[in-house]
Amino acid sequence: MTIVSAAAAAALFKDCTRCFKFSSIVGVGLGGTLTYRHTYKINRVHFSGSIPSSYYCCATLSITMEEVKPTFDVDKAAVLVNEMRKTFSSGKTKSYEWRMSQLESISKMIDEKEKEIIEALHKDLSKPELEAFLSEILMTKSSCKLALKELKHWMMPKKVETSMATYPSSAEIVSEPLGVVLVISTWNFPFLLSLDPVIGAIAAGNAVVLKPSEIAPATSSLLTKLLGEYVDESAIRVVEGAVRETSALLEQKWDKIFFTGGARVGRIVMAAAAKHLTPVTLELGGKCPAVVDSNVNLQVTAKRIIAGKWACNNGQACIGVDYIITTKEFAQKLIDSLRSVLEEFFGKDPMESKDLSRIVNSFQFMRLVNLLDEDKVSDKIVFGGQRDESQLQIAPTILLDVPEDSLIMQEEIFGPLLPIMTVEKLEDSLDMINRKPKPLAAYLFSDDEQIKSKFVQNISAGGIAINDTVLQLTVSGLPFGGVGESGMGSYHGEFSFDAFSHKKAVLYRSFAGDAPTRYPPYTPGKQKQMKALVSGNIFNIILALLGWFRD
Amino acid sequence: MEGSVAELRETFKSGRTRSVAWRKNQLKALLDLVNENEESIFKALHQDLGKDPVESYRDEVGVIQKSVSYSLSCLDKWVAPKKGELPLLFFPAKGQVLPEPLGVVLIFSSWNFPITLTLDPLIGAISAGNTVLLKPSELAPASLSFLIETIPLYLDNKAIKVIGGGADVGERLLKLKWDKIFFTGSPRVGRLVMTAAARYLTPVTLELGGKCPAIMDALSSPSKTKVAAKRIVGGKWGPCTGQACIAIDYLLVEDKIASTLIELLKKTIKRFYGENIKDLKSISRIVNKHQLQRLHNFLKDPHVAASVVYGGSVNEEKLVIEPTILLDPPLDSEIMTEEIFGPLLPIITLKNIEESIEFINSKPNPLVIYAFTEDETFKKRILSETSSGAVTFNDSMVQFLSDTLPFGGVGQSGFGRYHGKYSFDTFSHEKAVMHRAFFPELEPRYPPWNDFKLRFLKLAYRFDYFGIILLLIGLKRS
């Protein structure tokens, strides 16, 4: 999406109308921006006057402006952050009562607006109602419920033991909010991935700005509307928009940035954060492998793989199964089994199934089609392969033994295509996985304890599930987050609270028990006493303490 | 350089550094290194910073001995997988959090505690099973060459390396891919490090500094005030003559007790370090000309010079600045806007000590706040209304020695933390592992979706097991 300034847009409009017709002009935004609702391919237009050279118009330039609101620029972002900072400084968000009331409101919002949320998700992704319910609404709600239940406990200072060297003293670790935080979320689970971090940020007592993804516009505007209605606007705010708005936000100084999305943008976010020394959590993705041994219960394995691939937003999920590795002789059995379960789940013609999400937009659709149409890949399809551009649907597709250097095995697939790679021995799968960047999740189906422990020890991934997929995400007792290319930092349950908290070390000392050993003028005797203290040996310490009276 | 980094990666890939035995061996060797070379370390630190052996022992050698011993005694516990609780719904299943090494890590350390700030993070990196490149500061050359010469004699050369050099070497190192960068130094370089790290999505820990305030409330007895004064002097001039990120930067005090306190401080300084600049004892010197000039420039501001109530003399040749106390220098002068990092102590007087909270909040978050007070309400206010890496009540510096407390900053003073278990965590990835059996299988997880499955899932997410049973019975009945 390209957004041009008011002056540029006006001039563009003037110049372009000479050669092309605009079908509709939606309106002039409050900020003075002309807004169009159409995509134009313009051959070549010469600009004059106030148009900066960067608005050079060529064949590929498309103007797709949906924004009807005033433009959100760096200045507006600065004003917003300033307001939020004022709220945070007032101390309001730190109180237990405020946090609880906001979390309760969110919980209430989810209960009351369930229908609208499901509708928005259907508009954005054709998400089947139950899938939307299961993976977005219920997950968000249980995360909120857990925070409500545990908040008091999480907020409590944790007492820690102190060492001999600081005796007598007591110490504790106090969790304090980081301040004003930015949450940037993504389009595949636009509701869950927006609110789940926001719940953590609120629980920890921060002021939050949420920037949902413009690629799921219905959910994005619903979030703006609902949060405006249900939560404290002085401390929790939504900014809608695309690259320009995000850039304006990233210019500001935040106390934490929590980002869910791709590695490319993750790098941009981290580099922007570096300017202000802002800590970041990056929830990225990666090619999550599923290794399948030949000794498994085939029926259950197939079901769980399908649940973690196509029943999970049609493969558009960061922890979805990206590809399978199995042995040469077992591959066919696995394919047969996947095929029959796919039919059981989605019917004879999956393109007609109501139980599959669609591809989010035509850009993603084309990307997936390109992966599929690559030379040496297109002839490897053993199941599926149908596509319908007008419906943005691609059928569940299985490919067997595509070349390892093909795009589909290099990029994160993020869609309904499932390559199956075969190896001679199952152990070889470890090498294949380790040749690639570290994934967010790695799955293994096996009954062999040895393979299991080898897999857990040698595969570095954000998380690992043995004999299941995706379920590790739903467990609040487990940290969720990547490593290496799949990101840094983790959240869920108390880990969410920690992700948005600073752990302040607090040491209480009394004025008694002041060992002069610490102070100058330094003497060789003091060095001996200090050694005793460091050693932690009681007898030595008693001697040292005697030394203390001697001083 | 690129070759040695490739070798570190090879070593990591071999899996050798993952074994607990290797980690323990290296930690023990590190302990030997420190024990057997105590004298050489004292010598190097004296050369670089004029540190007295006792100060060197307290702040460097002793710290490392303590940290290594603690890590050795806890390592088995740290590497063990922790159980993650799983809902009954997933039964039979097992959830655990398994710490794993991040890979090849880079540690930048600074010149003020050249041994501690290099080896203390190293202990964490080894404990977590990583391979490490150390890049100590070139501004403490004797300590640097000690580390370069001695480390290969004690530690696994293919897994732990040291590199010398200045900013150019640092820049080249930052162009390479690391699995973690641990940096101790200034915010300015911290930004460069993080920007470079973003390219490879490398997580960073930034240990920076800041203006650490000390709040001095009126205390209930003169003897307590005396102890506090000792601790303030110890916390200002004790650690490398104020060239420490956790040293007291400035002092906040009510105007009615300022003069008593200044007298006490003067007396304590004289007792600790001697009467005048010519025969200062038990105190470090300024690291180099550049730093001395920077500090001297603070004092050259005439308004600042006018506020000096004790000390103030500078010996450029010997790189010595006398312990100096300033009373109410202008708040917009450089000495009050920049981190001082040297033996100058501004005292800012307030009408009411509670104003100190506002004063501190008007500046970037410090690494530590020290508060000498017996007022429990005030303590609570400080804790909840200010933000800093740490807070220490009624003492200075000692929080650094506590293995159970996380050490690290917030905001401008950095992020990430270390010491004890936190060092181990800093260099580990916590891998979530879930083990499942193939049975029993919950059919409602799978499409095709229908109303029964929806009702089942709603109950399941509420962990309403009784409801599930009813639903199942209902199903049977129909």
Side-chain angles (χ1 to χ4, degrees), chain A residues 161 176 267 275 303-304 456 459-460 464 466 505 507 509 518, chain B residues 58 100 191 199 387 391 393 395 404 431-432 434 441 443:
Chain A
E161 278 178 32
E176 65 175 31
R267 290 186 166 83
K275 264 186 266 166
K303 276 186 183 175
R304 290 180 180 177
V456 169
I459 296 298
S460 180
I464 286 179
I466 305 292
L507 186 68
R509 287 268 286 153
R518 290 167 52 188
Chain B
R58 184 195 61 192
E100 65 173 28
R191 287 187 178 91
R199 197 173 144 210
S387 175
V391 178
F393 289 108
D395 208 334
T404 48
K431 184 158 72 178
M434 185 168 172
E441 183 67 337
E443 291 301 327

PDB file of all heavy atoms in Angstrom, chain A residues 161 176 267 275 303-304 456 459-460 464 466 505 507 509 518, chain B residues 58 100 191 199 387 391 393 395 404 431-432 434 441 443:
ATOM      1  N   GLU A 161      17.337 -15.716  49.051  1.00  0.00           N
ATOM      2  CA  GLU A 161      18.329 -15.823  50.119  1.00  0.00           C
ATOM      3  C   GLU A 161      19.490 -14.906  49.824  1.00  0.00           C
ATOM      4  O   GLU A 161      19.816 -14.657  48.671  1.00  0.00           O
ATOM      5  CB  GLU A 161      18.831 -17.258  50.204  1.00  0.00           C
ATOM      6  CG  GLU A 161      17.903 -18.144  50.991  1.00  0.00           C
ATOM      7  CD  GLU A 161      18.404 -19.565  51.020  1.00  0.00           C
ATOM      8  OE1 GLU A 161      19.635 -19.752  50.999  1.00  0.00           O
ATOM      9  OE2 GLU A 161      17.555 -20.470  51.040  1.00  0.00           O
ATOM     10  N   GLU A 176       8.463  -4.767  38.301  1.00  0.00           N
ATOM     11  CA  GLU A 176       7.862  -3.473  38.028  1.00  0.00           C
ATOM     12  C   GLU A 176       7.596  -3.334  36.538  1.00  0.00           C
ATOM     13  O   GLU A 176       8.302  -3.913  35.715  1.00  0.00           O
ATOM     14  CB  GLU A 176       8.751  -2.335  38.544  1.00  0.00           C
ATOM     15  CG  GLU A 176      10.084  -2.219  37.841  1.00  0.00           C
ATOM     16  CD  GLU A 176      10.905  -1.003  38.295  1.00  0.00           C
ATOM     17  OE1 GLU A 176      10.782  -0.606  39.464  1.00  0.00           O
ATOM     18  OE2 GLU A 176      11.650  -0.472  37.475  1.00  0.00           O
ATOM     19  N   ARG A 267      14.058  -7.713  11.998  1.00  0.00           N
ATOM     20  CA  ARG A 267      15.353  -7.026  11.983  1.00  0.00           C
ATOM     21  C   ARG A 267      15.183  -5.515  12.012  1.00  0.00           C
ATOM     22  O   ARG A 267      15.897  -4.800  12.715  1.00  0.00           O
ATOM     23  CB  ARG A 267      16.127  -7.406  10.724  1.00  0.00           C
ATOM     24  CG  ARG A 267      16.611  -8.817  10.728  1.00  0.00           C
ATOM     25  CD  ARG A 267      17.491  -9.119   9.517  1.00  0.00           C
ATOM     26  NE  ARG A 267      18.179 -10.362   9.729  1.00  0.00           N
ATOM     27  CZ  ARG A 267      17.647 -11.571   9.495  1.00  0.00           C
ATOM     28  NH1 ARG A 267      16.433 -11.670   9.023  1.00  0.00           N
ATOM     29  NH2 ARG A 267      18.337 -12.658   9.749  1.00  0.00           N
ATOM     30  N   LYS A 275      18.127   2.247  18.717  1.00  0.00           N
ATOM     31  CA  LYS A 275      18.330   3.698  18.849  1.00  0.00           C
ATOM     32  C   LYS A 275      17.976   4.183  20.247  1.00  0.00           C
ATOM     33  O   LYS A 275      18.557   5.124  20.754  1.00  0.00           O
ATOM     34  CB  LYS A 275      17.442   4.426  17.833  1.00  0.00           C
ATOM     35  CG  LYS A 275      18.184   4.762  16.554  1.00  0.00           C
ATOM     36  CD  LYS A 275      17.301   5.608  15.643  1.00  0.00           C
ATOM     37  CE  LYS A 275      16.572   4.723  14.668  1.00  0.00           C
ATOM     38  NZ  LYS A 275      15.469   5.353  13.970  1.00  0.00           N
ATOM     39  N   LYS A 303      -3.796 -37.592  11.884  1.00  0.00           N
ATOM     40  CA  LYS A 303      -4.747 -36.612  12.415  1.00  0.00           C
ATOM     41  C   LYS A 303      -4.029 -35.424  13.036  1.00  0.00           C
ATOM     42  O   LYS A 303      -4.403 -34.275  12.836  1.00  0.00           O
ATOM     43  CB  LYS A 303      -5.625 -37.269  13.480  1.00  0.00           C
ATOM     44  CG  LYS A 303      -6.802 -38.002  12.912  1.00  0.00           C
ATOM     45  CD  LYS A 303      -7.671 -38.480  14.038  1.00  0.00           C
ATOM     46  CE  LYS A 303      -8.824 -39.296  13.478  1.00  0.00           C
ATOM     47  NZ  LYS A 303      -9.627 -39.867  14.548  1.00  0.00           N
ATOM     48  N   ARG A 304      -3.006 -35.736  13.822  1.00  0.00           N
ATOM     49  CA  ARG A 304      -2.336 -34.659  14.552  1.00  0.00           C
ATOM     50  C   ARG A 304      -1.514 -33.784  13.617  1.00  0.00           C
ATOM     51  O   ARG A 304      -1.338 -32.594  13.870  1.00  0.00           O
ATOM     52  CB  ARG A 304      -1.484 -35.246  15.684  1.00  0.00           C
ATOM     53  CG  ARG A 304      -2.364 -35.805  16.789  1.00  0.00           C
ATOM     54  CD  ARG A 304      -1.589 -36.397  17.937  1.00  0.00           C
ATOM     55  NE  ARG A 304      -2.530 -36.901  18.957  1.00  0.00           N
ATOM     56  CZ  ARG A 304      -2.172 -37.534  20.055  1.00  0.00           C
ATOM     57  NH1 ARG A 304      -0.891 -37.752  20.311  1.00  0.00           N
ATOM     58  NH2 ARG A 304      -3.065 -37.950  20.920  1.00  0.00           N
ATOM     59  N   VAL A 456      15.269 -34.469  21.206  1.00  0.00           N
ATOM     60  CA  VAL A 456      15.158 -33.391  22.181  1.00  0.00           C
ATOM     61  C   VAL A 456      16.527 -32.769  22.462  1.00  0.00           C
ATOM     62  O   VAL A 456      16.665 -31.558  22.590  1.00  0.00           O
ATOM     63  CB  VAL A 456      14.517 -33.913  23.487  1.00  0.00           C
ATOM     64  CG1 VAL A 456      14.622 -32.895  24.596  1.00  0.00           C
ATOM     65  CG2 VAL A 456      13.055 -34.277  23.247  1.00  0.00           C
ATOM     66  N   ILE A 459      18.078 -31.154  18.607  1.00  0.00           N
ATOM     67  CA  ILE A 459      17.377 -30.176  17.779  1.00  0.00           C
ATOM     68  C   ILE A 459      17.166 -28.912  18.590  1.00  0.00           C
ATOM     69  O   ILE A 459      16.553 -28.939  19.656  1.00  0.00           O
ATOM     70  CB  ILE A 459      16.012 -30.736  17.310  1.00  0.00           C
ATOM     71  CG1 ILE A 459      16.207 -31.954  16.416  1.00  0.00           C
ATOM     72  CG2 ILE A 459      15.230 -29.653  16.572  1.00  0.00           C
ATOM     73  CD1 ILE A 459      16.953 -31.689  15.136  1.00  0.00           C
ATOM     74  N   SER A 460      17.683 -27.820  18.059  1.00  0.00           N
ATOM     75  CA  SER A 460      17.461 -26.556  18.731  1.00  0.00           C
ATOM     76  C   SER A 460      16.278 -25.864  18.068  1.00  0.00           C
ATOM     77  O   SER A 460      16.293 -25.588  16.876  1.00  0.00           O
ATOM     78  CB  SER A 460      18.707 -25.693  18.632  1.00  0.00           C
ATOM     79  OG  SER A 460      18.481 -24.477  19.285  1.00  0.00           O
ATOM     80  N   ILE A 464       9.482 -27.970  21.434  1.00  0.00           N
ATOM     81  CA  ILE A 464       9.421 -29.295  20.820  1.00  0.00           C
ATOM     82  C   ILE A 464       8.181 -30.002  21.339  1.00  0.00           C
ATOM     83  O   ILE A 464       7.865 -29.921  22.535  1.00  0.00           O
ATOM     84  CB  ILE A 464      10.688 -30.104  21.160  1.00  0.00           C
ATOM     85  CG1 ILE A 464      11.861 -29.571  20.339  1.00  0.00           C
ATOM     86  CG2 ILE A 464      10.483 -31.597  20.895  1.00  0.00           C
ATOM     87  CD1 ILE A 464      13.168 -30.266  20.604  1.00  0.00           C
ATOM     88  N   ILE A 466       6.525 -33.889  21.232  1.00  0.00           N
ATOM     89  CA  ILE A 466       6.701 -35.270  20.817  1.00  0.00           C
ATOM     90  C   ILE A 466       5.314 -35.890  20.674  1.00  0.00           C
ATOM     91  O   ILE A 466       4.503 -35.815  21.600  1.00  0.00           O
ATOM     92  CB  ILE A 466       7.516 -36.057  21.873  1.00  0.00           C
ATOM     93  CG1 ILE A 466       8.843 -35.360  22.151  1.00  0.00           C
ATOM     94  CG2 ILE A 466       7.730 -37.506  21.426  1.00  0.00           C
ATOM     95  CD1 ILE A 466       9.833 -35.368  21.026  1.00  0.00           C
ATOM     96  N   ALA A 505      16.121  -5.836  41.559  1.00  0.00           N
ATOM     97  CA  ALA A 505      16.769  -6.466  42.708  1.00  0.00           C
ATOM     98  C   ALA A 505      16.735  -5.501  43.873  1.00  0.00           C
ATOM     99  O   ALA A 505      17.135  -4.351  43.737  1.00  0.00           O
ATOM    100  CB  ALA A 505      18.211  -6.811  42.360  1.00  0.00           C
ATOM    101  N   LEU A 507      17.803  -5.001  47.921  1.00  0.00           N
ATOM    102  CA  LEU A 507      18.555  -5.525  49.054  1.00  0.00           C
ATOM    103  C   LEU A 507      18.334  -4.615  50.256  1.00  0.00           C
ATOM    104  O   LEU A 507      18.498  -3.395  50.159  1.00  0.00           O
ATOM    105  CB  LEU A 507      20.049  -5.589  48.706  1.00  0.00           C
ATOM    106  CG  LEU A 507      20.949  -6.249  49.739  1.00  0.00           C
ATOM    107  CD1 LEU A 507      20.659  -7.743  49.829  1.00  0.00           C
ATOM    108  CD2 LEU A 507      22.412  -6.037  49.386  1.00  0.00           C
ATOM    109  N   ARG A 509      19.482  -3.683  54.034  1.00  0.00           N
ATOM    110  CA  ARG A 509      20.546  -3.887  55.008  1.00  0.00           C
ATOM    111  C   ARG A 509      20.223  -3.072  56.248  1.00  0.00           C
ATOM    112  O   ARG A 509      19.531  -2.067  56.180  1.00  0.00           O
ATOM    113  CB  ARG A 509      21.869  -3.392  54.419  1.00  0.00           C
ATOM    114  CG  ARG A 509      22.402  -4.307  53.343  1.00  0.00           C
ATOM    115  CD  ARG A 509      23.342  -5.333  53.910  1.00  0.00           C
ATOM    116  NE  ARG A 509      24.617  -4.739  54.246  1.00  0.00           N
ATOM    117  CZ  ARG A 509      25.411  -5.208  55.190  1.00  0.00           C
ATOM    118  NH1 ARG A 509      25.042  -6.251  55.914  1.00  0.00           N
ATOM    119  NH2 ARG A 509      26.568  -4.636  55.436  1.00  0.00           N
ATOM    120  N   ARG A 518      35.759  -4.230  54.515  1.00  0.00           N
ATOM    121  CA  ARG A 518      35.415  -3.677  53.213  1.00  0.00           C
ATOM    122  C   ARG A 518      36.096  -2.351  52.940  1.00  0.00           C
ATOM    123  O   ARG A 518      36.175  -1.933  51.795  1.00  0.00           O
ATOM    124  CB  ARG A 518      33.905  -3.409  53.165  1.00  0.00           C
ATOM    125  CG  ARG A 518      33.054  -4.605  53.135  1.00  0.00           C
ATOM    126  CD  ARG A 518      31.621  -4.214  53.404  1.00  0.00           C
ATOM    127  NE  ARG A 518      31.169  -3.125  52.511  1.00  0.00           N
ATOM    128  CZ  ARG A 518      30.013  -2.513  52.660  1.00  0.00           C
ATOM    129  NH1 ARG A 518      29.215  -2.844  53.652  1.00  0.00           N
ATOM    130  NH2 ARG A 518      29.650  -1.551  51.833  1.00  0.00           N
TER     131      ARG A 518
ATOM    132  N   ARG B  58      38.834  -7.702  46.601  1.00  0.00           N
ATOM    133  CA  ARG B  58      37.420  -7.522  46.943  1.00  0.00           C
ATOM    134  C   ARG B  58      36.549  -7.412  45.684  1.00  0.00           C
ATOM    135  O   ARG B  58      35.480  -7.989  45.596  1.00  0.00           O
ATOM    136  CB  ARG B  58      37.255  -6.262  47.801  1.00  0.00           C
ATOM    137  CG  ARG B  58      35.835  -6.029  48.298  1.00  0.00           C
ATOM    138  CD  ARG B  58      35.662  -4.616  48.817  1.00  0.00           C
ATOM    139  NE  ARG B  58      35.917  -3.649  47.740  1.00  0.00           N
ATOM    140  CZ  ARG B  58      36.064  -2.345  47.925  1.00  0.00           C
ATOM    141  NH1 ARG B  58      36.012  -1.843  49.137  1.00  0.00           N
ATOM    142  NH2 ARG B  58      36.283  -1.537  46.905  1.00  0.00           N
ATOM    143  N   GLU B 100      19.068 -24.979  26.907  1.00  0.00           N
ATOM    144  CA  GLU B 100      20.111 -25.407  25.984  1.00  0.00           C
ATOM    145  C   GLU B 100      21.006 -24.220  25.653  1.00  0.00           C
ATOM    146  O   GLU B 100      20.573 -23.072  25.687  1.00  0.00           O
ATOM    147  CB  GLU B 100      19.494 -26.003  24.709  1.00  0.00           C
ATOM    148  CG  GLU B 100      18.699 -25.026  23.868  1.00  0.00           C
ATOM    149  CD  GLU B 100      18.244 -25.628  22.529  1.00  0.00           C
ATOM    150  OE1 GLU B 100      18.063 -26.844  22.444  1.00  0.00           O
ATOM    151  OE2 GLU B 100      18.086 -24.854  21.586  1.00  0.00           O
ATOM    152  N   ARG B 191      24.218   1.030  21.769  1.00  0.00           N
ATOM    153  CA  ARG B 191      23.328   1.204  20.601  1.00  0.00           C
ATOM    154  C   ARG B 191      23.939   0.586  19.350  1.00  0.00           C
ATOM    155  O   ARG B 191      23.250  -0.065  18.573  1.00  0.00           O
ATOM    156  CB  ARG B 191      23.081   2.690  20.347  1.00  0.00           C
ATOM    157  CG  ARG B 191      22.178   3.301  21.366  1.00  0.00           C
ATOM    158  CD  ARG B 191      21.807   4.734  20.987  1.00  0.00           C
ATOM    159  NE  ARG B 191      20.906   5.228  21.997  1.00  0.00           N
ATOM    160  CZ  ARG B 191      21.304   5.881  23.088  1.00  0.00           C
ATOM    161  NH1 ARG B 191      22.565   6.159  23.265  1.00  0.00           N
ATOM    162  NH2 ARG B 191      20.434   6.251  23.993  1.00  0.00           N
ATOM    163  N   ARG B 199      20.943  -7.354  12.666  1.00  0.00           N
ATOM    164  CA  ARG B 199      21.145  -7.923  11.343  1.00  0.00           C
ATOM    165  C   ARG B 199      21.017  -9.441  11.359  1.00  0.00           C
ATOM    166  O   ARG B 199      20.510 -10.043  10.418  1.00  0.00           O
ATOM    167  CB  ARG B 199      22.537  -7.511  10.876  1.00  0.00           C
ATOM    168  CG  ARG B 199      22.702  -7.685   9.406  1.00  0.00           C
ATOM    169  CD  ARG B 199      24.024  -7.122   8.935  1.00  0.00           C
ATOM    170  NE  ARG B 199      24.522  -7.975   7.890  1.00  0.00           N
ATOM    171  CZ  ARG B 199      25.790  -8.175   7.629  1.00  0.00           C
ATOM    172  NH1 ARG B 199      26.707  -7.566   8.356  1.00  0.00           N
ATOM    173  NH2 ARG B 199      26.154  -8.964   6.669  1.00  0.00           N
ATOM    174  N   SER B 387      12.137   3.797  39.176  1.00  0.00           N
ATOM    175  CA  SER B 387      12.512   2.607  38.421  1.00  0.00           C
ATOM    176  C   SER B 387      14.025   2.588  38.233  1.00  0.00           C
ATOM    177  O   SER B 387      14.616   3.566  37.789  1.00  0.00           O
ATOM    178  CB  SER B 387      11.808   2.619  37.066  1.00  0.00           C
ATOM    179  OG  SER B 387      12.244   1.535  36.296  1.00  0.00           O
ATOM    180  N   VAL B 391      17.665  -1.688  43.843  1.00  0.00           N
ATOM    181  CA  VAL B 391      17.585  -0.738  44.948  1.00  0.00           C
ATOM    182  C   VAL B 391      18.284  -1.379  46.137  1.00  0.00           C
ATOM    183  O   VAL B 391      18.052  -2.546  46.441  1.00  0.00           O
ATOM    184  CB  VAL B 391      16.127  -0.426  45.347  1.00  0.00           C
ATOM    185  CG1 VAL B 391      16.091   0.522  46.535  1.00  0.00           C
ATOM    186  CG2 VAL B 391      15.357   0.156  44.183  1.00  0.00           C
ATOM    187  N   PHE B 393      18.975  -0.714  50.207  1.00  0.00           N
ATOM    188  CA  PHE B 393      18.689   0.135  51.347  1.00  0.00           C
ATOM    189  C   PHE B 393      19.818   0.051  52.361  1.00  0.00           C
ATOM    190  O   PHE B 393      20.271  -1.042  52.720  1.00  0.00           O
ATOM    191  CB  PHE B 393      17.369  -0.274  52.011  1.00  0.00           C
ATOM    192  CG  PHE B 393      16.177   0.086  51.164  1.00  0.00           C
ATOM    193  CD1 PHE B 393      15.456  -0.901  50.519  1.00  0.00           C
ATOM    194  CD2 PHE B 393      15.805   1.417  50.997  1.00  0.00           C
ATOM    195  CE1 PHE B 393      14.358  -0.564  49.734  1.00  0.00           C
ATOM    196  CE2 PHE B 393      14.720   1.752  50.205  1.00  0.00           C
ATOM    197  CZ  PHE B 393      13.992   0.762  49.566  1.00  0.00           C
ATOM    198  N   ASP B 395      22.934   0.591  52.371  1.00  0.00           N
ATOM    199  CA  ASP B 395      24.299   0.146  52.067  1.00  0.00           C
ATOM    200  C   ASP B 395      24.596   0.510  50.623  1.00  0.00           C
ATOM    201  O   ASP B 395      23.725   1.011  49.891  1.00  0.00           O
ATOM    202  CB  ASP B 395      24.449  -1.358  52.291  1.00  0.00           C
ATOM    203  CG  ASP B 395      25.893  -1.709  52.665  1.00  0.00           C
ATOM    204  OD1 ASP B 395      26.801  -0.958  52.277  1.00  0.00           O
ATOM    205  OD2 ASP B 395      26.089  -2.730  53.358  1.00  0.00           O
ATOM    206  N   THR B 404      22.094 -14.445  44.378  1.00  0.00           N
ATOM    207  CA  THR B 404      20.678 -14.746  44.209  1.00  0.00           C
ATOM    208  C   THR B 404      19.901 -13.576  43.623  1.00  0.00           C
ATOM    209  O   THR B 404      18.735 -13.716  43.294  1.00  0.00           O
ATOM    210  CB  THR B 404      20.043 -15.125  45.561  1.00  0.00           C
ATOM    211  OG1 THR B 404      20.438 -14.133  46.513  1.00  0.00           O
ATOM    212  CG2 THR B 404      20.515 -16.483  46.020  1.00  0.00           C
ATOM    213  N   LYS B 431      14.064 -24.195  26.184  1.00  0.00           N
ATOM    214  CA  LYS B 431      13.296 -24.916  25.178  1.00  0.00           C
ATOM    215  C   LYS B 431      12.111 -25.603  25.847  1.00  0.00           C
ATOM    216  O   LYS B 431      12.274 -26.339  26.806  1.00  0.00           O
ATOM    217  CB  LYS B 431      14.216 -25.944  24.521  1.00  0.00           C
ATOM    218  CG  LYS B 431      13.605 -26.720  23.396  1.00  0.00           C
ATOM    219  CD  LYS B 431      14.684 -27.296  22.480  1.00  0.00           C
ATOM    220  CE  LYS B 431      15.445 -28.448  23.133  1.00  0.00           C
ATOM    221  NZ  LYS B 431      16.440 -29.022  22.202  1.00  0.00           N
ATOM    222  N   ALA B 432      10.922 -25.308  25.327  1.00  0.00           N
ATOM    223  CA  ALA B 432       9.727 -25.950  25.862  1.00  0.00           C
ATOM    224  C   ALA B 432       9.571 -27.296  25.174  1.00  0.00           C
ATOM    225  O   ALA B 432       9.594 -27.384  23.959  1.00  0.00           O
ATOM    226  CB  ALA B 432       8.505 -25.079  25.594  1.00  0.00           C
ATOM    227  N   MET B 434       7.259 -30.865  24.990  1.00  0.00           N
ATOM    228  CA  MET B 434       6.035 -31.524  25.413  1.00  0.00           C
ATOM    229  C   MET B 434       6.031 -32.947  24.872  1.00  0.00           C
ATOM    230  O   MET B 434       6.237 -33.170  23.684  1.00  0.00           O
ATOM    231  CB  MET B 434       4.851 -30.761  24.857  1.00  0.00           C
ATOM    232  CG  MET B 434       3.553 -31.289  25.326  1.00  0.00           C
ATOM    233  SD  MET B 434       2.294 -30.098  24.895  1.00  0.00           S
ATOM    234  CE  MET B 434       0.879 -31.040  25.323  1.00  0.00           C
ATOM    235  N   GLU B 441      -7.189 -40.172  22.513  1.00  0.00           N
ATOM    236  CA  GLU B 441      -7.257 -39.153  21.498  1.00  0.00           C
ATOM    237  C   GLU B 441      -8.561 -38.375  21.647  1.00  0.00           C
ATOM    238  O   GLU B 441      -9.627 -38.960  21.784  1.00  0.00           O
ATOM    239  CB  GLU B 441      -7.194 -39.866  20.131  1.00  0.00           C
ATOM    240  CG  GLU B 441      -7.177 -38.968  18.955  1.00  0.00           C
ATOM    241  CD  GLU B 441      -5.911 -38.133  18.852  1.00  0.00           C
ATOM    242  OE1 GLU B 441      -5.240 -37.915  19.871  1.00  0.00           O
ATOM    243  OE2 GLU B 441      -5.612 -37.677  17.755  1.00  0.00           O
ATOM    244  N   GLU B 443     -11.194 -36.539  19.979  1.00  0.00           N
ATOM    245  CA  GLU B 443     -11.714 -36.290  18.630  1.00  0.00           C
ATOM    246  C   GLU B 443     -12.194 -34.860  18.386  1.00  0.00           C
ATOM    247  O   GLU B 443     -12.070 -34.346  17.288  1.00  0.00           O
ATOM    248  CB  GLU B 443     -12.823 -37.294  18.287  1.00  0.00           C
ATOM    249  CG  GLU B 443     -12.322 -38.723  18.095  1.00  0.00           C
ATOM    250  CD  GLU B 443     -11.272 -38.865  16.986  1.00  0.00           C
ATOM    251  OE1 GLU B 443     -11.354 -38.127  15.992  1.00  0.00           O
ATOM    252  OE2 GLU B 443     -10.366 -39.713  17.143  1.00  0.00           O
TER     253      GLU B 443
END
